């Protein structure tokens, strides 16, 4: 696993590891497991319509063409819609990973999403991991959460992205969330709901007792909150139903003791 390029040796390890991880998560409770189901698609030597970084190409050809992977799983490049590849073919406007001001300028400029980069994983809440295909950041993986004004490099290579995901799954660690808590959809939806609950029950704003909080949260049944993409991307229609990002999933976990059902979020089948 120390190799920075994927090869057949790694393929054998990977083929053993994925079913082991699946066995340890029979109920598919680990973040993203319900989406990828620990199914790693077989490798594929189908031609890709654009040049891609060498480690990514090797992974597709030698290890797996998608499915199981970090967050909600690796998107299979061989089945990505043509429109996604057309977007990826445009020259990159992603800045160099070291230039924070330029990254913020891109996030704020409302440019077409993903020029010169390819989506490799959905991160939830409409956010995407992008593999940069050209320009100064070629080969890096970036977080695209421009719906909340955030676009930033997250790993220096695709290899690092995959190995970090494997490491976290193997050690029952959550993937990194990246997005600040206060900008994401679920905390805002809950705050809005609790504000209405307070009004209806003549409670001063922010003055809920723990008993009242429990009562309010207990009223939220399974699937009673549906998250939606705030911004259209080549993978998401505006307001399309999405599954939670890590940050929102953690909010649900943390409020379990306060009475919030673990099933409160509506599940969306985001397969294209
Ligand atoms: Zn979120």
């Amino acid at each position: 696993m120390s190799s920075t390029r994927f090869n057949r040796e790694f393929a054998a390890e990977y083929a053993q590891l994925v079913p082991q991880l699946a066995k340890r998560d029979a109920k598919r409770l680990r973040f993203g497991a319900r989406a990828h189901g620990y199914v790693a698609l077989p490798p594929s030597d189908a031609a890709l319509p654009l040049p891609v970084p060498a480690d990514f190409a090797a992974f597709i050809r030698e290890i797996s063409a998608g499915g199981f992977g970090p967050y909600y799983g690796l998107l299979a490049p061989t089945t990505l819609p043509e429109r996604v590849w057309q977007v990826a073919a445009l020259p990159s406007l992603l800045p160099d990973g070291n230039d924070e001001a330029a990254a913020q300028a891109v996030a704020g400029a409302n440019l077409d999403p993903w020029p010169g980069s390819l989506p490799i994983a959905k991160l939830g809440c409409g956010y995407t991991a992008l593999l940069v295909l050209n320009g100064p950041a070629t080969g890096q993986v970036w977080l695209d959460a421009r719906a909340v004004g955030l676009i930033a490099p997250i790993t220096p290579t695709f290899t690092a992205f995959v190995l970090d995901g494997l490491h976290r799954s193997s050690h029952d660690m959550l993937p990194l969330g990246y997005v600040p808590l206060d900008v994401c959809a679920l905390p805002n939806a809950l705050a809005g709901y609790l504000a209405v609950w307070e009004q209806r029950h003549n409670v001063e704003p922010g003055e809920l007792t723990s008993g009242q909080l429990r009562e309010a949260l207990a009223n939220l049944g399974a699937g009673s909150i549906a998250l939606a993409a705030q911004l259209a991307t080549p993978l998401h229609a505006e307001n399309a139903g999405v599954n939670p990002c890590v940050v929102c999933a953690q909010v649900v976990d943390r409020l379990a003791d306060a009475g919030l059902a673990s099933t409160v979020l509506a599940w969306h089948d985001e397969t294209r």
Side-chain angles (χ1 to χ4, degrees), residues 123-125 127 179 183-187 227 243-249:
L123 308 184
C125 287
Y127 313 142
V179 175
V183 299
C184 226
L186 177 64
L227 302 178
N243 293 313
C245 72
V246 173
V247 172
C248 288

Side-chain angles (χ1 to χ4, degrees), residues 83-139:
R83 65 173 189 277
V84 170
W85 284 101
Q86 282 165 356
V87 168
L90 297 170
S92 180
L93 295 169
L94 288 171
D96 185 301
N98 298 319
D99 191 343
E100 235 174 80
Q104 279 173 3
V106 170
N110 206 18
L111 300 164
D112 287 343
W114 309 344
S117 59
L118 185 72
I120 53 170
K122 290 183 177 178
L123 308 184
C125 287
Y127 313 142
T128 308
L130 301 176
L131 178 63
V132 181
L133 299 184
N134 54 48
T138 298

Side-chain angles (χ1 to χ4, degrees), residues 9-99:
E9 203 176 309
F10 179 80
E13 279 182 52
Y14 195 82
Q16 284 187 336
L17 186 57
V18 176
Q20 281 171 17
L21 293 172
K23 214 170 156 187
R24 279 168 39 195
D25 183 23
K27 292 187 174 168
R28 305 297 187 250
L29 296 177
R30 208 178 270 142
F31 184 87
R34 189 170 169 185
H36 59 63
Y38 297 96
V39 176
L41 299 179
S44 165
D45 52 12
L48 301 177
L50 283 180
V52 295
D55 61 343
F56 181 67
F59 188 86
I60 302 306
R61 279 199 301 266
E62 305 281 351
I63 317 293
S64 165
F68 168 77
Y71 299 92
Y72 285 104
L74 291 171
L75 298 170
T78 49
T79 61
L80 280 175
E82 204 179 322
R83 65 173 189 277
V84 170
W85 284 101
Q86 282 165 356
V87 168
L90 297 170
S92 180
L93 295 169
L94 288 171
D96 185 301
N98 298 319
D99 191 343

Side-chain angles (χ1 to χ4, degrees), residues 154-173:
I154 53 177
T155 58
T157 60
F158 174 76
T159 306
F161 181 72
V162 167
L163 293 184
D164 179 68
L166 276 179
H167 176 79
R168 287 172 185 278
S169 293
S170 304
H171 293 83
D172 287 319
M173 292 156 65

